Structure formats: C-alpha cells, structure tokens
C-alpha cells in the first residue's frame, strides 16, 4: 500500500533536518503504529505524507500503490485516497461544516472522474455516519470546528474519514485532548473502518490508544529514523520501560 | 498680508468650475470660489488624506440638463434585480421609472428639482455635500407616515449611461414608529462618468429603517456618495453597504445620534478589484446619553485594488452610557493589494464603552492546507475562505431574502475577480 523509502526531509528554506532516512512499508489492511519521544519527527512524517509544502524532501521517495506521490499536491493525494487526521483540526470561521463536507466529497469525486453527489444522497450519508459517532446534526451546521470541544473536533475528523473513505489513513496523535469516553468513541469509529483494503498509520505518544486501536506492527521513531520495529507487544514494552532502553540499544 | 499664489487647475477642476459657473443653484457661487482658489482636496486636507481627490479625479463630465437628456431606462434594465421592491429609477439626471403616485400605501413622495434639503449633519471638509448642493438637478422626497410598516422595499435605482455627470439629492423621512427598507442602487456603463448622490434620512421617534447601499459601477466611474442621517429617540437603523465596482468611489456615512435609546448598526463589504479605489468614511456622533452603535466592515482586495476606511466615533460630554463598537477587517489577497484604515475615537463622556479594531491579513496557509488535505483544490479552497470571510457580514439578517441576494452578488463578484 505505502512504501516510505530512505526518506530525508528538512524544513523548507532552512538546514533543519527532521527525517534522516525513514524506511517503512505498510501492507493493505495493516495498522502500523509509530511511537517516539517528542521531537522525533512523528508529526513531520504525517505532514509530508499529506503533502504540506513547508518541508523539502532531499532524498528518498514515498510510493502509494507503487507510484510516487512526491509530485502530487495535497488535494491530488486526498483524491487518490490519502487522509490525514490532524492532531489539531483547524477552526475555519464562516465555512459551515456541511458545506465543507460536501465540497470535499464532491471535489474528490470530480478529481476521480466520478459523478457528484446529489444533496439528498449527501445528507443521507452524513446522517448515517454522524449518528454512529454520536455527532448531532446541529453541530454540523456550525462553522467548521469553530467552538467545537476537543472531543468534538476529533469526532469530526473521524466523520470526515468515514465519509471520504480513504485507502490510507494517517492519524496524528488522535488521542491528544481526548477523555476516556471520547477516546472510546473515536477508536470504535476507526475500528469500524478497518478493512483488508485500507491501511492505517497511527501516530501516538502513548500505549493507551493502542489498547483501543490494536496495531499489527509498532515502530519507534527517534531522531528522524525508525530505530526499532516489532509487533503490538513492542508498545507494551515501551510503556513499561520508556524509550531510554531502545534508544540506548540503537546508539 | 496674505499672499496666495493662484493654483493651476487640473482638467477635472476646469470642467467642474465650468459646470459650477453654469449652475442656477444659489449654493454654487461659494463652492466655485473655493475650488477656484484651492482646487479639489489633496492629502493635506485631513478628511481626504487617503483619497487625494485632486490627483485621483481625472475628469468631470458635463451634466446634461434633465430635460435635454434622453428619456431612457436602458441602463436600468441592465441592472439585475437585487430583491423585489418598488423602483424609483434615475438614468443620468432623469427620473425614468416608478410613478411616485403608485408608491405603497403609507408612503408619500415627489420627484422634483425644487429647493434642496440642507445637510442635517455637520461634516468637516464637506466637498461631496457642497458640490452636490451646487450642482444637484433633482431627487426624490419620500415620507413614510407615522405608525406605518412598509413591507415592500423602496428602491432608489441610479444609472449613468453616457459620458455624463449625474448629481442627485434625496430626502427620506420616516415618521414615528414607522418602519421601512430603502435600497440605494448604483450602476453605470463602462464609460468615464461621474455620480454624486446625497441622501438625507430622518428617523423620528421609534422609527425602524434598513438602508442598503448596493454599488456595482463600471470600471471607469467616479462616485462620490453621502448618506446623512438624524436618529430620533428609540429609533433603530441598520445600514448595509456593498461596494463592488467603480474606479474612484468615496461613500460617506454621517450619523447624528440625537435621540436617547436609539441604535445604529452599520455592516459593509468592500470588494476592491484591480484599478479600483474605494473609500468608506463614516462618522457617528453620539450627542445624547444611552445610545448604541456597532460598525463592521470586511474588505477583500485582490491585486491592484486600493481601499480606505475612516471610521470616527464621537461621544459628546453628555452622552453617557454610549456603547459603540467598530471593526474593520481586511483580507489582502496579494502583495500588490493596498488598504488604509483609520479608526478614530473622540470621547468626552466618562461612562462609555467604546472600542475599535482594525486588522489586515492574508489567507491563512494552515487553513488552506487543511481544506486541500480533504481534496479541495487550491483555487476552490481559496474561494471558500474568501467567501467565508466576507459573507459572514450579511448572514443572519432579519430580511433573509436581502441577505441571500447580497451574498449572491458577493459570490458572483468573487468568481470574476478573486
């Protein structure tokens, strides 16, 4: 599904290197977790996958179903099936959430050469997914994320993911700012979307999220490199001993 | 001894002086003398600092006599309807549409060239008002009877068709506890013409008025507009402004808040395209205690546009408990966009709440990335963000149809210009 090959990234127009040769392959249907201490490059990796232009790729490649996506704009990547659930979803005043959802869904359909959704089809789809996530339709009439609580914002991200039905989902610290109940709802939302055709990259600081979204593989990112990979038991090991042991091993 | 060197007149001043010399209005002589001596205002005149009329006003076309001008409503028919209403149309200086005898029940009116109403609100360096009094051809005089609630909007439609000057002055009085909506519309061909329209509006006790200024002039038109208002006790006034065209536009709004417990809300959107200079200058004079005012302008400036906002709030010493809020927010779409904002508070009372804020921003890259990461193209994402920025102003109006119509006009303009 996704192959990250020897990826070197620096912040555009500076000499600040963030990623120093990341190698990672995620198979169709796989849920891969990336863990790592603060400043290891986790969020940068998520932004680079989504195509944010604040970064410059100096070496390496990202292949999505065998094709490089480096030259694709964020919207082209989204239409191809890449989705980033933001750590801090942005508040956009004046844009009603429903209008945004419709614009996003129809833009992607248009880019793929599919027919646009009619309004009744669209509303039906939103109602269905929103009720599963416990989102009130009244909330969706409000401006996108404006005045939403932390939990509401993350739920809105999962709603977008469900409606856009991407092939590859990157979840950047989806657990941050969530209480236990909200974490459960969000995780159930993600688990419902797991399928043999859809892969996930779950970025998190804590093991807690991985109790709810159980990963197939776990990778430790440190100083812009993956220094250890393993199964879900690696996350438990980290929870127990912290990063120090693994960092020591790698050094 | 005072030695004054004679100034060299610009082409616009020459033709303006010629028009003033021919005017039959008694007000013309003083204006002629003033312009002859000093010319049009430059940046050295404080009220005109950001709109140097002497440099910016390129010409002053000859005003046709009302009786000579072609009786034509051609220009008016080119104006797309904003909302349904009773139209009183002016083409150049001629009254061509709407028989005032057919006005809705409760409204009386005449259109004529009789003596003009003096500006009821004192204005410093009042070039627009002065030129208007000296050259005005005619205008509508409308009165809403006390206690009447007029549902049909009354539309004062103006169009300039040829290379001509159109100078008009309207007077509108709204009686005690009456309510009405008035819409000033301004439209012109793409030929260099000049429009000067002054409206004087009087709200008696408890009157409720929505006044809309909807401007979609051609790319070569100069418009100097003034709306002067006197608010009585418990009066409620909403002014909505949409500027979306013209080469050189100055819209002044002067409000004398003279009645206690009255309220004024001004909301405006300025869409300032390439080659446009749009200036909105407002003064709110709170002259009595216990009044409220809110003012909000949002401006969008693509490459090559220049905008100006001057907002003054004056609170007299006796005007305790005044609550006045003013905000002017501008979205500059490029580095070649230009906007000057001058908010001014002049407060002599000590128990008031007054605030002003002026912001200038460009589109937030993080907002743009968020929308693009959901599959929305850069072009569409930008358009969505610009629309959101300005459309907020006209959302949730009491008159939903009017709000929708104004928003549709904004979208149409943005599709073509931003």
């Amino acid at each position: 599904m996704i192959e990250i090959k020897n990826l070197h990234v620096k912040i555009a127009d500076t000499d600040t290197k963030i990623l120093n040769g990341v190698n990672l392959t995620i198979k169709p249907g796989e849920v891969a977790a990336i863990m790592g201490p603060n400043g290891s490059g986790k969020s940068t990796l998520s932004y680079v996958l989504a195509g944010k232009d604040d970064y410059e790729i100096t070496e390496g490649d990202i292949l999505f179903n065998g094709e490089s996506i480096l030259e694709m704009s964020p919207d082209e990547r989204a239409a191809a099936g890449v989705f980033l659930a933001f750590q801090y979803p942005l508040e956009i005043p004046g844009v009603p959430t429903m209008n945004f959802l419709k614009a996003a869904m129809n833009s992607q359909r248009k880019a793929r050469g599919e027919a646009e959704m009619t309004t009744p089809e669209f509303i039906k789809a939103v109602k269905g997914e929103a009720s599963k996530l416990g989102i009130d339709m009244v909330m969706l009439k409000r401006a996108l994320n404006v005045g939403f609580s932390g939990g509401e914002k993350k739920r809105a991200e999962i709603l977008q993911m469900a409606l856009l039905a991407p092939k590859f989902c990157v979840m950047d610290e989806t657990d941050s700012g969530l209480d236990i109940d909200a974490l459960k709802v969000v995780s159930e939302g993600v688990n419902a979307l797991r399928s043999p055709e859809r892969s996930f990259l779950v970025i998190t600081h804590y093991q807690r999220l991985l109790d709810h979204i159980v990963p197939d593989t776990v990778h430790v990112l440190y100083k812009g490199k993956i220094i250890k990979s393993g199964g879900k038991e690696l996350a438990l090991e980290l929870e127990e001993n912290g990063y120090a042991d693994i960092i020591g091993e790698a050094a | 001894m005072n030695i004054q060197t004679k100034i060299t007149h610009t082409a616009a001043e020459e033709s303006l002086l010629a028009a003033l010399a021919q005017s039959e209005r008694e007000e013309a002589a003083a204006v002629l003398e003033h312009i002859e001596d000093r010319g049009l205002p430059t940046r050295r005149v404080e009220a005109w600092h950001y709109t140097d009329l002497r440099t910016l006003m390129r010409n002053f076309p000859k005003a046709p006599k009302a009786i000579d001008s072609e009786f034509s409503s051609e220009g008016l028919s080119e104006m797309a309807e904003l909302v349904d209403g009773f139209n009183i149309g002016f083409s150049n200086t001629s009254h061509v549409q709407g028989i005032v005898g057919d006005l809705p029940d409760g409204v009386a009116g005449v259109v004529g060239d009789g003596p003009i109403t003096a500006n009821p609100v004192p204005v410093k360096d009042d070039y627009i008002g002065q030129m208007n009094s000296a050259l005005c051809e005619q205008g509508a005089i409308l009165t809403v009877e006390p206690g009447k609630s007029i549902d049909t909007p009354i539309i004062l439609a103006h169009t300039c068709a040829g290379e001509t000057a159109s100078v008009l002055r309207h007077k509108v009085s709204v009686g005690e506890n009456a309510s009405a909506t008035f819409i000033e519309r301004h439209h012109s061909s793409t030929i260099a013409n000049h429009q000067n329209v002054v409206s004087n509006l009087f709200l008696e006790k408890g009157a409720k008025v929505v006044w809309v200024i909807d401007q979609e002039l051609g790319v070569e038109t100069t418009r100097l507009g003034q709306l002067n208002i006197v608010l009585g006790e418990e009066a409620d006034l909403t002014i909505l402004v949409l500027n979306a065209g013209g080469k050189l536009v100055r819209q002044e709004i002067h409000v004398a808040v003279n009645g206690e417990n009255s309220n004024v809300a001004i909301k405006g959107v300025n869409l300032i395209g390439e080659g446009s200079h749009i200036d909105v200058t407002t003064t709110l004079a709170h002259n009595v205690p216990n009044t409220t005012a809110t003012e909000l302008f949002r401006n969008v400036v693509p490459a090559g546009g220049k905008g100006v906002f001057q907002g003054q709030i004056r609170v007299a010493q006796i005007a305790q408990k005044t609550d006045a809020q003013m905000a002017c927010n501008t979205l500059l779409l490029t580095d070649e966009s230009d906007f000057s904002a001058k908010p001014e508070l002049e407060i002599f009372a000590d128990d008031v709440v007054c605030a002003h804020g002026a912001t200038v921003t460009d589109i937030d890259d993080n907002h743009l990335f968020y929308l693009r990461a959901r599959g929305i193209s850069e072009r569409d994402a930008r358009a969505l963000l610009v629309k959101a920025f300005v459309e907020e102003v006209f959302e949730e109006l009491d008159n939903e149809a009017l709000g929708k119509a104004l928003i549709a006009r904004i979208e149409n303009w943005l599709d073509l210009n931003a």
Side-chain angles (χ1 to χ4, degrees):
Chain A
M1 174 72 68
I2 202 103
E3 287 169 82
I4 302 170
K5 291 182 159 177
N6 190 31
L7 192 67
H8 287 71
V9 170
K10 65 178 188 111
I11 296 176
D13 306 319
T14 71
D15 293 325
T16 313
K17 291 179 184 164
I18 311 274
L19 301 181
N20 301 299
V22 173
N23 285 295
L24 180 65
T25 300
I26 305 170
K27 296 192 213 66
E30 180 179 336
V31 175
I34 286 205
M35 301 183 74
N38 287 324
S40 56
K42 301 188 300 293
S43 282
T44 297
L45 180 61
S46 72
Y47 283 141
V48 169
L49 287 165
K52 198 165 197 247
D53 58 9
D54 299 356
Y55 304 96
E56 189 183 323
I57 288 125
T58 52
E59 219 183 312
D61 206 347
I62 303 169
L63 304 182
F64 180 54
N65 291 331
E67 308 261 344
S68 174
I69 59 168
L70 292 188
E71 296 301 317
M72 288 164 75
S73 66
D75 39 298
E76 286 167 344
R77 293 183 199 197
V82 177
F83 181 92
L84 168 62
F86 282 64
Q87 183 181 358
Y88 303 108
L90 283 110
E91 298 192 359
I92 308 204
V95 178
T97 309
M98 285 300 267
N99 295 12
F100 158 77
L101 290 172
K102 197 170 182 205
M105 290 175 81
N106 279 335
S107 294
Q108 293 203 11
R109 284 169 169 255
K110 214 169 114 189
R112 292 192 294 257
E114 298 164 15
E116 293 195 0
M117 271 184 136
T118 63
T119 302
E121 280 171 352
F122 164 74
I123 290 176
K124 197 175 162 211
V126 176
K127 271 191 180 158
E129 295 299 337
S131 74
K132 285 187 212 162
L133 290 160
I135 293 173
D136 190 343
M137 291 300 281
V138 174
M139 185 179 116
L140 302 180
K141 288 187 177 149
R142 282 156 50 192
L144 181 56
N145 291 326
V146 176
F148 289 18
S149 71
E152 285 173 334
K153 282 180 186 169
K154 294 295 168 79
R155 265 186 252 188
E157 291 289 287
I158 305 306
L159 173 66
Q160 292 168 37
M161 190 163 97
L163 289 169
L164 295 168
K167 299 191 181 89
F168 175 51
C169 308
V170 183
M171 314 207 53
D172 188 5
E173 302 205 17
T174 294
D175 49 341
S176 72
L178 288 188
D179 59 35
I180 309 278
D181 294 338
L183 184 67
K184 256 186 146 173
V185 174
V186 166
S187 305
E188 278 164 16
V190 173
N191 287 332
L193 292 169
R194 288 177 79 153
S195 91
E197 291 81 39
R198 183 173 289 137
S199 310
F200 288 82
L201 181 62
V202 180
I203 295 172
T204 183
H205 266 300
Y206 304 107
Q207 153 67 22
R208 195 182 59 171
L209 177 68
L210 303 180
D211 286 340
H212 298 280
I213 305 172
V214 180
D216 300 307
T217 54
V218 174
H219 310 268
V220 179
L221 189 68
Y222 178 66
K223 287 193 174 170
K225 266 184 134 162
I226 289 182
I227 55 167
K228 186 155 183 157
S229 297
K232 63 183 178 207
E233 65 289 345
L234 179 55
L236 294 165
E237 201 183 302
L238 285 168
E239 182 80 357
E240 201 100 328
N241 307 324
Y243 292 109
D245 287 3
I246 289 171
I247 290 166
E249 263 172 54
Chain B
M1 207 171 97
N2 192 0
I3 301 170
Q4 210 169 10
T5 13
K6 275 230 155 187
I7 62 161
T8 314
H9 294 132
T10 63
E13 285 163 353
E14 291 286 358
S15 41
L16 178 60
L17 287 167
L20 287 165
Q22 280 178 22
S23 169
E24 283 155 21
R25 294 268 178 210
E26 57 176 309
E27 292 86 348
V31 183
L32 186 131
E33 193 186 336
H34 184 91
I35 300 217
E36 187 141 49
D37 288 351
R38 305 204 196 160
L40 288 165
T42 67
R43 55 184 296 115
R44 281 194 284 276
V45 176
E46 200 195 338
W48 293 85
H49 184 75
Y50 299 100
T51 299
D52 185 321
L53 203 56
R54 188 151 204 256
T55 311
L56 293 169
M57 199 169 118
R58 294 295 171 82
N59 66 332
F60 186 85
K62 193 171 156 29
K65 280 277 162 219
I67 198 161
D68 297 335
S69 71
E70 211 176 319
F71 191 87
S72 157
S73 58
E74 199 179 311
L76 288 172
S77 62
E78 284 167 20
M79 289 170 80
E81 287 257 307
L82 184 70
V83 287
D84 287 337
F86 184 89
N87 277 279
I88 301 174
F90 295 87
S91 174
N92 299 332
T93 49
S94 303
H95 170 223
V96 294
Q97 192 188 22
I99 297 155
V100 287
D102 294 345
L103 274 161
D105 185 39
V107 188
V110 289
V111 172
D113 57 0
I116 55 167
T117 342
N119 182 357
V121 185
V123 178
K124 204 171 167 244
D125 296 313
D126 184 13
Y127 283 84
I128 296 179
Q130 299 287 325
M131 283 193 271
N132 187 283
S133 351
L135 295 169
C136 156
E137 294 285 342
Q138 61 172 342
I141 298 175
L142 303 171
T143 309
V144 181
E145 286 170 34
K148 292 280 184 181
S149 174
I150 312 300
D151 294 329
T152 312
I154 295 169
I155 301 167
L156 293 162
H158 307 85
T159 185
C160 274
E163 193 181 336
T164 169
S166 166
V167 185
L168 300 164
R169 173 171 297 211
H170 308 303
K171 179 190 178 187
V172 175
S173 311
V174 181
E176 263 190 44
N177 298 317
S179 68
T181 297
F182 297 91
I183 303 174
E184 252 189 65
R185 301 199 66 200
H186 303 285
H187 179 273
S188 65
S189 61
T190 52
I191 296 165
N193 39 38
H194 185 106
Q195 193 200 55
N196 179 322
V197 177
V198 170
S199 300
N200 291 323
L201 170 64
F202 300 83
L203 273 71
E204 299 298 330
K205 184 179 175 182
K208 190 173 174 180
V209 168
V210 175
W211 188 281
V212 183
I213 299 173
D214 172 36
Q215 181 270 104
E216 44 179 341
L217 295 169
V219 289
E220 292 297 332
T221 297
T222 293
R223 164 172 157 73
L224 302 177
Q226 200 177 55
L227 173 61
N228 304 306
I229 301 151
V230 179
L231 273 195
E233 218 179 310
E234 289 160 28
D236 186 79
L237 170 68
T238 301
I239 300 172
L240 307 170
V241 180
L242 176 57
N243 273 309
K247 184 180 183 64
L248 168 61
V249 175
R250 162 110 154 185
Q251 176 67 53
E252 295 184 0
I253 298 170
H254 303 292
V255 187
V257 185
N258 289 354
E260 282 199 50
N261 301 311
S262 59
N263 174 55
V264 51
I266 306 178
K267 293 177 173 193
V269 169
N270 295 310
L271 305 170
I272 307 170
E274 190 180 355
S276 251
H277 176 113
I278 295 182
D279 172 337
V280 171
T281 292
T282 68
T283 62
L284 289 173
H286 293 267
N287 299 323
V288 293
N290 300 311
T291 62
T292 52
T294 53
E295 192 171 349
L296 170 66
F297 277 89
R298 291 267 170 97
N299 316 295
V300 174
V301 196
K306 181 170 167 43
V308 177
F309 172 75
Q310 304 188 103
Q312 191 186 57
I313 298 174
R314 294 197 304 265
V315 182
Q317 201 168 359
I318 62 156
Q320 302 294 0
K321 306 283 181 196
T322 294
D323 183 338
Q325 313 287 332
M326 174 165 62
C328 174
N329 313 116
T330 303
L331 192 57
L332 296 180
L333 297 184
T334 70
D335 292 343
E336 287 76 44
S337 312
D338 190 314
F339 199 91
S340 306
K342 188 176 87 171
E344 250 183 304
L345 300 179
E346 201 180 282
I347 302 169
F348 292 103
D350 55 13
D351 184 14
V352 301
V353 183
C354 288
H356 68 74
T359 61
V360 178
T361 52
D362 53 13
I363 286 179
D364 187 318
D365 284 340
N366 290 319
H367 285 173
L368 203 54
F369 175 64
Y370 187 67
L371 297 180
R372 294 185 71 193
R374 295 295 176 258
I376 301 171
S377 71
E378 182 173 5
R379 197 194 132 87
D380 290 352
R382 274 182 188 280
L384 206 59
L385 293 170
V386 175
K387 277 176 193 174
F389 177 75
V390 283
E391 286 178 5
E392 253 186 326
V393 175
F394 296 134
E395 269 161 18
E396 291 171 21
L397 296 184
D398 288 347
N399 185 338
E400 223 174 282
L402 182 59
K404 274 192 180 159
L406 290 168
I407 286 172
R409 292 252 291 102
I410 292 173
E411 295 199 348
N412 187 30
W413 190 92
L414 290 173
D415 285 346
L416 295 170
N417 295 279

